[in-house]
Amino acid sequence: MNILRLSTKNLLRNKLTTFLNIILVAFGVAILTILFLASTQIGDKLEQNAKDIDLVVGAKGSPLQLILSSIYHIDFPTGNIPLKDATELMQNPMVKRAVPLALGDNFQGHRIVGTDSGFVSLYGLKLVAGKFWSRDLEATIGSGVAAEAHLKVGDKFFGAHGLSDASDEHKHHAYTVTGILQAQGNITDNLILTNIGSVYKMHEPDHDEHEAQKEAEISNKEITSILIQYRSPMSVVIFPRMVNQSTNMQAASPAMESARLFSLIGVGIETLKWFALLIMAISALSVFISLYNAMKEKKYDLAVMRSLGASKAKLFFLVMLEGLLITVSGAILGLFIGHLALHMIAHYQESSQARLTGLYFVTDELYLIIAGLVIGVVASILPAIQIYRVDIAQTLSKEK
Amino acid sequence: MISIQSLTHNYHNGPTLKFPDWEILNQEQWLLLGASGSGKSTLLNIISGLLKPQNGKVNLNETDLYSLSQKEMDRFRGQNIGIIFQKPHLIKSLNIFDNVALASSLAGVKINQSRVMDLLSSLGLEDKTKNYPEELSQGQLQRVSIARALVNKPALLIADEPTSSLDDENADNVLKILTQQAAENHASLVIATHDRRVKDKLNKEYLL
């Protein structure tokens, strides 16, 4: 019979109070876990996907929207730019590599991206099966798409108009899967790559009610945006200004825009963080009150144990241990709930592009366990110190 | 052998209590008699090392109790003195077996399972070992506390008013058990009481 077993038994005797306290701690920790996990994952994703891209050029509009649509494939594109202007820009001597993008269609929510082989080298893509697209209506799909849509090399599928799940399918032309990409852990896992010609072909006149509008689009040959890598870092200053001032297009820097995006999300994260800290403070108070109240009832128990030969230090740890058991098991339960909750959120998440996962661990979680320990110590130290004040002889002879 | 010499004690703004010297030989059984307020409980607390007296010495088998540090004293008490309180004072969250075994582990003695079981069955509690204190009657609880006091084979068994809350029959029983168990376990016995029913049951008396 050690003091660990004794304190566990004491806690089990007051199941409801113990349960309430554990849940309180767990709740605070779970919220913090979700925040930590989600913000790290979002930060990582933002960074990874924009890794080698210095600049995005697209139609005028919101720069953030341009970045979101062309790099993270979340928002809608700002519009289209004339192919002629784009080609001119791509041949600029300051540009080391330029990758054109033609967006507008999807397959079961996965975006179909018309591009060229520059995209492959920009993201360092590799194949696990088949080959890269070469002709019109051939598609190379990301690992995530293959898994979710159960597509294999040689399968055919119809793209749908729009960027999210839509029933408006391009029934006239079917894509053929020619290759499947290796999982990269970034956005390309959820994309369907094809050539720009295929995207044009989809929108050729003669098929649906969008006819008139599409006709104009195609006859002028437009694309959505260009991803640009500079030849030298010096271009950071000159090139975007040149684009913004002398052309009808706009240039947006992924680094700047993701920083701006993150500072916007940051306000919400900060608020939630304080909320979670408040819950944890309340849980500390609750643990303290229950231990403190229990001390009144336990005074006899403790005096008896002293008379049976337990030292003050031992009983001090007994009370401390009760507080620590509650908060540490609360913290561990909270971590578990946090991961589980995030995993469930991820499961029901609609945008496959920014999918989060609960099977991800950050070092900050260790701090949460430590926080659990600290809360336990803070909450139980006052009740535990009372051990040193209990007069055994008096306590035991008082209850006549 | 237990001896007390020139003990005095006074509580804050209370009268000073003086205790006559006393020698208890091994396996002797004593009654500690006195009216309430005469200092019976105080003397018991001093002998059991729970209350430090203002003056005087308490020796138990050549150990001067109050020369020990607080921690040594706690351990010494746990191993050498078994105390039976007026109320059983069992730990509610532990079952009967664990309540008795707890006395061993708190005193730093290895738990001897068969010793615990033997004691409990000699007190007629062998079928209650898995029960919790709230499921037992007052008399049964008192017997558990006797088992708990005896589990570490103490040299001295002290009982403070063990019969005051019991009816005649139970009081008689408890007394019988105490004297019998003290003898079987080779412990000296001191029973403090002002209960008339207990008088004359033991041959040695210490009057306050």
Side-chain angles (χ1 to χ4, degrees):
Chain A
M1 171 103 34
N2 50 28
I3 57 172
L4 180 66
R5 174 134 177 260
L6 197 55
S7 41
T8 318
K9 292 239 172 189
N10 276 338
L11 290 178
L12 287 179
R13 209 178 121 72
N14 292 313
K15 285 192 192 74
L16 272 181
T17 318
T18 308
F19 176 73
L20 172 73
N21 287 330
I22 289 180
I23 287 294
L24 269 174
V25 178
F27 202 58
V29 170
I31 294 180
L32 284 178
T33 309
I34 294 176
L35 286 181
F36 282 157
L37 290 180
S39 61
T40 340
Q41 285 184 42
I42 292 172
D44 279 1
K45 272 183 205 264
L46 286 181
E47 205 173 305
Q48 256 177 29
N49 291 324
K51 208 170 49 188
D52 295 317
I53 300 163
D54 295 322
L55 198 74
V56 179
V57 177
K60 285 217 184 291
S62 147
L64 181 58
Q65 192 186 344
L66 179 61
I67 298 292
L68 286 176
S69 62
S70 296
I71 295 186
Y72 304 116
H73 298 270
I74 304 174
D75 207 351
F76 292 93
T78 44
N80 289 335
I81 52 173
L83 183 60
K84 194 167 81 50
D85 296 359
T87 321
E88 229 168 79
L89 204 62
M90 285 159 76
Q91 280 153 0
N92 189 293
M94 280 186 268
V95 174
K96 180 177 155 202
R97 176 187 284 153
V99 180
L101 297 181
L103 306 172
D105 286 350
N106 82 91
F107 170 64
Q108 294 181 3
H110 303 286
R111 294 192 178 190
I112 298 172
V113 180
T115 183
D116 62 16
S117 59
F119 194 90
V120 175
S121 42
L122 181 68
Y123 283 97
L125 301 179
K126 288 188 185 67
L127 290 163
V128 281
K131 58 185 183 59
F132 285 110
W133 71 97
S134 51
R135 276 173 307 188
D136 283 1
L137 296 178
E138 287 185 350
T140 305
I141 60 177
S143 59
V145 183
E148 266 172 55
H150 307 293
L151 288 174
K152 313 182 289 296
V153 174
D155 285 356
K156 285 186 186 304
F157 64 91
F158 291 104
H161 194 67
L163 291 172
S164 49
D165 232 342
S167 46
D168 183 13
E169 285 187 352
H170 296 293
K171 287 281 186 201
H172 297 262
H173 302 284
Y175 284 102
T176 310
V177 179
T178 60
I180 295 168
L181 297 172
Q182 226 171 48
Q184 299 284 317
N186 61 21
I187 188 67
T188 58
D189 292 347
N190 293 304
L191 293 180
I192 296 167
L193 305 176
T194 183
N195 64 7
I196 296 184
S198 310
V199 179
Y200 289 155
K201 202 165 206 161
M202 285 294 144
H203 300 107
E204 265 169 11
D206 89 56
H207 73 101
D208 60 9
E209 64 269 23
H210 298 296
E211 224 168 295
Q213 182 202 335
K214 292 289 175 240
E215 207 166 349
E217 233 175 66
I218 288 148
S219 54
N220 290 334
K221 290 282 184 199
E222 290 179 318
I223 61 168
T224 310
S225 58
I226 330 168
L227 309 177
I228 287 173
Q229 235 178 336
Y230 295 135
R231 202 172 285 281
S232 107
M234 305 267 278
S235 320
V236 173
V237 189
I238 318 162
F239 195 81
R241 243 166 85 197
M242 195 254 315
V243 175
N244 287 335
Q245 284 174 359
S246 65
T247 71
N248 217 2
M249 304 177 281
Q250 74 158 337
S253 145
M256 260 166 60
E257 296 308 322
S258 11
R260 203 158 69 91
L261 176 65
F262 219 60
S263 73
L264 290 176
I265 306 172
V267 180
I269 290 181
E270 204 63 13
T271 318
L272 272 174
K273 224 175 237 174
W274 283 109
F275 179 64
L277 288 178
L278 184 72
I279 291 183
M280 285 174 75
I282 291 175
S283 73
L285 193 66
S286 167
V287 173
F288 166 74
I289 291 173
S290 357
L291 285 179
Y292 201 87
N293 277 339
M295 282 305 284
K296 279 182 210 147
E297 191 198 336
K298 254 195 288 193
K299 222 159 87 179
Y300 297 108
D301 286 9
L302 294 168
V304 168
M305 288 195 257
R306 285 292 314 281
S307 78
L308 291 174
S311 63
K312 285 182 176 177
K314 196 168 197 173
L315 297 185
F316 177 82
F317 283 116
L318 176 73
V319 177
M320 291 293 284
L321 202 60
E322 279 183 34
L324 287 174
L325 274 177
I326 290 178
T327 54
V328 171
S329 51
I332 292 169
L333 183 69
L335 287 182
F336 181 73
I337 294 176
H339 281 276
L340 194 73
L342 197 64
H343 207 70
M344 274 166 64
I345 292 171
H347 191 258
Y348 291 109
Q349 228 176 349
E350 274 198 18
S351 78
S352 57
Q353 286 85 347
R355 180 155 288 169
L356 301 167
T357 168
L359 302 170
Y360 182 91
F361 297 88
V362 293
T363 41
D364 285 350
E365 293 175 55
L366 271 180
Y367 295 122
L368 288 178
I369 303 262
I370 294 171
L373 277 171
V374 172
I375 291 176
V377 170
V378 168
S380 45
I381 196 133
L382 271 180
I385 279 177
Q386 285 186 308
I387 299 285
Y388 285 93
R389 297 212 206 103
V390 172
D391 182 336
I392 337 170
Q394 215 178 10
T395 309
L396 289 176
S397 45
K398 215 189 271 171
E399 204 195 35
K400 294 255 165 180
Chain B
M1 191 194 77
I2 299 101
S3 69
I4 59 172
Q5 284 163 15
S6 48
L7 273 185
T8 60
H9 186 77
N10 74 317
Y11 292 103
H12 292 294
N13 54 44
T16 304
L17 297 165
K18 284 193 175 167
F19 303 104
D21 289 357
W22 187 7
E23 236 175 49
I24 303 167
L25 297 178
N26 285 343
Q27 303 197 39
E28 276 185 341
Q29 306 197 331
W30 285 78
L31 277 183
L32 169 54
L33 298 171
S36 24
S38 60
K40 285 195 306 289
S41 291
T42 307
L43 182 56
L44 282 191
N45 286 333
I46 292 173
I47 296 177
S48 23
L50 294 172
L51 182 68
K52 191 175 165 60
Q54 248 91 38
N55 290 300
K57 269 190 177 178
V58 179
N59 279 298
L60 203 160
N61 288 343
E62 269 88 70
T63 305
D64 180 357
L65 270 192
Y66 290 94
S67 68
L68 298 173
S69 73
Q70 179 81 58
K71 203 179 164 182
E72 288 167 335
M73 167 93 84
D74 288 330
R75 178 142 295 195
F76 183 85
R77 177 174 54 243
Q79 294 179 358
N80 297 286
I81 305 171
I83 309 170
I84 296 150
F85 300 99
Q86 195 173 354
K87 290 267 176 68
H89 288 309
L90 297 182
I91 311 293
K92 296 187 192 78
S93 53
L94 298 179
N95 66 26
I96 299 308
F97 181 91
D98 285 344
N99 256 293
V100 177
L102 180 70
S104 289
S105 86
L106 288 181
V109 176
K110 201 170 174 295
I111 295 171
N112 182 342
Q113 307 248 355
S114 59
R115 164 84 180 150
V116 177
M117 288 309 288
D118 287 351
L119 264 175
L120 284 173
S121 49
S122 77
L123 292 164
L125 292 163
E126 62 273 22
D127 54 343
K128 300 283 180 201
T129 54
K130 293 273 171 276
N131 288 66
Y132 283 82
E134 56 208 14
E135 300 162 342
L136 269 63
S137 72
Q138 200 61 26
Q140 289 170 322
L141 292 176
Q142 189 66 282
R143 278 183 275 153
V144 177
S145 79
I146 294 172
R148 184 177 63 185
L150 284 166
V151 71
N152 296 331
K153 301 194 174 147
L156 174 63
L157 186 62
I158 294 175
D160 186 6
E161 305 275 9
T163 56
S164 64
S165 52
L166 301 176
D167 57 34
D168 288 0
E169 197 184 335
N170 271 314
D172 217 37
N173 261 332
V174 164
L175 217 56
K176 230 180 264 168
I177 290 168
L178 278 177
T179 51
Q180 201 180 325
Q181 290 287 342
E184 276 176 25
N185 291 283
H186 312 294
S188 311
L189 174 68
V190 173
I191 300 176
T193 189
H194 66 274
D195 191 340
R196 288 162 187 281
R197 299 172 296 185
V198 180
K199 276 183 187 170
D200 313 325
K201 295 278 157 98
L202 300 183
N203 44 14
K204 293 191 184 305
E205 289 181 1
Y206 177 91
L207 268 170
L208 269 183

